[in-house]
Amino acid sequence: MFDYIFFDLDGTLTRSGDGIKKSAAHAIAQVGYPALPDARLDAFVGPPLLESFMRFCGMDEATALRAVQLYRARFEDVGWRENAVYPGIAQLLRALRAAGKYAAIVTAKPERFAVRIAEYFGLAPYLDAVVGIPMNEHHADKAALIARALPAGADKARVVMVGDRKFDVLGAKDAGVSSLAVGYGYGTREELDACAPDFFAETVDDLFPLLGVERPRGRFFTFEGNDGCGKSTQMALIGDWLAERGWEIVRTREPGGCPVAERIRALVLADAADREARAMTAECEALLFAASRAQHVHDVILPALEAGKIVLCDRFLDSSIVYQGYGRELGEDFIRQINVPAQKARPDKTFLYEIDEGAALRRATRDGHADRIEAEGVAYQRLVREAYASLRAKEPERIQVVDGSGTIEEVFARTQRAVADCLNTKE
Ligand code: TYD
């Protein structure tokens, strides 16, 4: 029913309290006022700062103005990054965009900060506008900001202001648009109830139906490559990076990823010195990987995808095709046949880390420890690498090569580009 969705920033899209509270505490100390306890600093998140310094610290206007300057200097320097997007917000903005809705940030923050935050945290591609106050202004009239954010000719009946504080709800009422209060931000329930918002969302999840969009299907990304190629490190880093940007993610790995599969992992990746496990036939090994995967897909991957999450998985079916199909010469067909249950979860994208296999193996075994598979040595790893290359030739759309050479930071920059590209393209 709404075509224009305006979001407050702090406490609605981002959990920005940390940076705001630390910057406020810094300013209070710098102007020589007594420190406030942490809980009282919560009140600084959302409303115009000048008023907050006067009201909560008892400053006169001139001191409060100085405090605002000091606050902004720290915020500009470090505070704006002491921030994270609420989990699920990225999925919500993406769904709104896919449904053709107009989405904007309408905030009492200086517009320059809001734009920078929207860009850094990856929200900008999903927004039609970012509206805030000029740097030299101290009073933010939310209703006026809402009016400014309205595109020419927009029907006010189709506009909703989403926010976590009374300023958002009252501003919406003054501006003649609907109000939707969120319960997960910095406003208390009493504060929000007292101003009677038209709608209320306790969680980010509740916003989907209220804004008339379905949760988009999850995405399944797998990370593949030779032993020691660095994919696990990269997957950990990209997981943090996505979570900070508001994507709900699930990280998992194969073999393993759930209790039953982890038990299978212990057997199939037994130490090279384990003589009983060394007697394992190639077929048995392949079937154990497939068994682990069947359970993992059922217990972890499919439920997460159904819930709209992004699943990051360290190795998947490609590893079996490569290591057992080619490496152990069981053939690709055999591997596909025994992995029928896993084919319910096809990766949307697979990042294949390429690195010289000798260097990679040295890296993987530098602690002097090799598992059964690493103990096969460098010739086996060469086979693995060639098999990955031929899989990639068959499925170039799904399998994307990432150059795994260089420092962790260099490889991470490549990983970020690859992941961001596939999140921003149409499904
Ligand atoms: P792991 O300790 O997870 O190391 P890595 O960081 O290299 O992934 O070991 C997984 C090992 O299991 C690795 O040598 C590849 C092998 N493997 C297979 O042979 N087949 C498979 O289907 C999977 C998932 C892994």
Side-chain angles (χ1 to χ4, degrees), residues 393-406:
K394 278 189 254 176
E395 288 186 78
E397 311 254 283
R398 171 174 70 86
I399 303 180
Q400 179 166 351
V401 171
V402 182
D403 174 3
S405 64

Side-chain angles (χ1 to χ4, degrees), residues 177-196:
V177 304
S178 297
S179 55
L180 194 172
V182 300
Y184 55 81
Y186 296 96
T188 62
R189 193 62 198 254
E190 299 78 68
E191 169 183 328
L192 292 171
D193 281 347
C195 52

Side-chain angles (χ1 to χ4, degrees), residues 26 38 66 73 76 110 152 180 327 369:
H26 162 84
D38 190 69
R66 249 191 331 121
E76 175 132 42
L180 194 172
H369 171 86

Side-chain angles (χ1 to χ4, degrees), residues 330-379:
L330 293 172
E332 189 171 334
D333 288 347
F334 176 72
I335 301 302
R336 290 202 188 274
Q337 279 162 19
I338 62 174
N339 277 283
V340 166
Q343 287 170 36
K344 290 185 204 132
R346 188 176 182 274
D348 293 292
K349 202 66 154 182
T350 296
F351 303 103
L352 171 59
Y353 288 81
E354 271 196 353
I355 178 173
D356 170 75
E357 60 274 356
L361 189 61
R362 279 195 295 283
R363 207 197 269 171
T365 54
R366 81 187 136 201
D367 58 0
H369 171 86
D371 63 35
R372 267 189 339 104
I373 288 171
E374 286 159 353
E376 295 288 329
V378 79

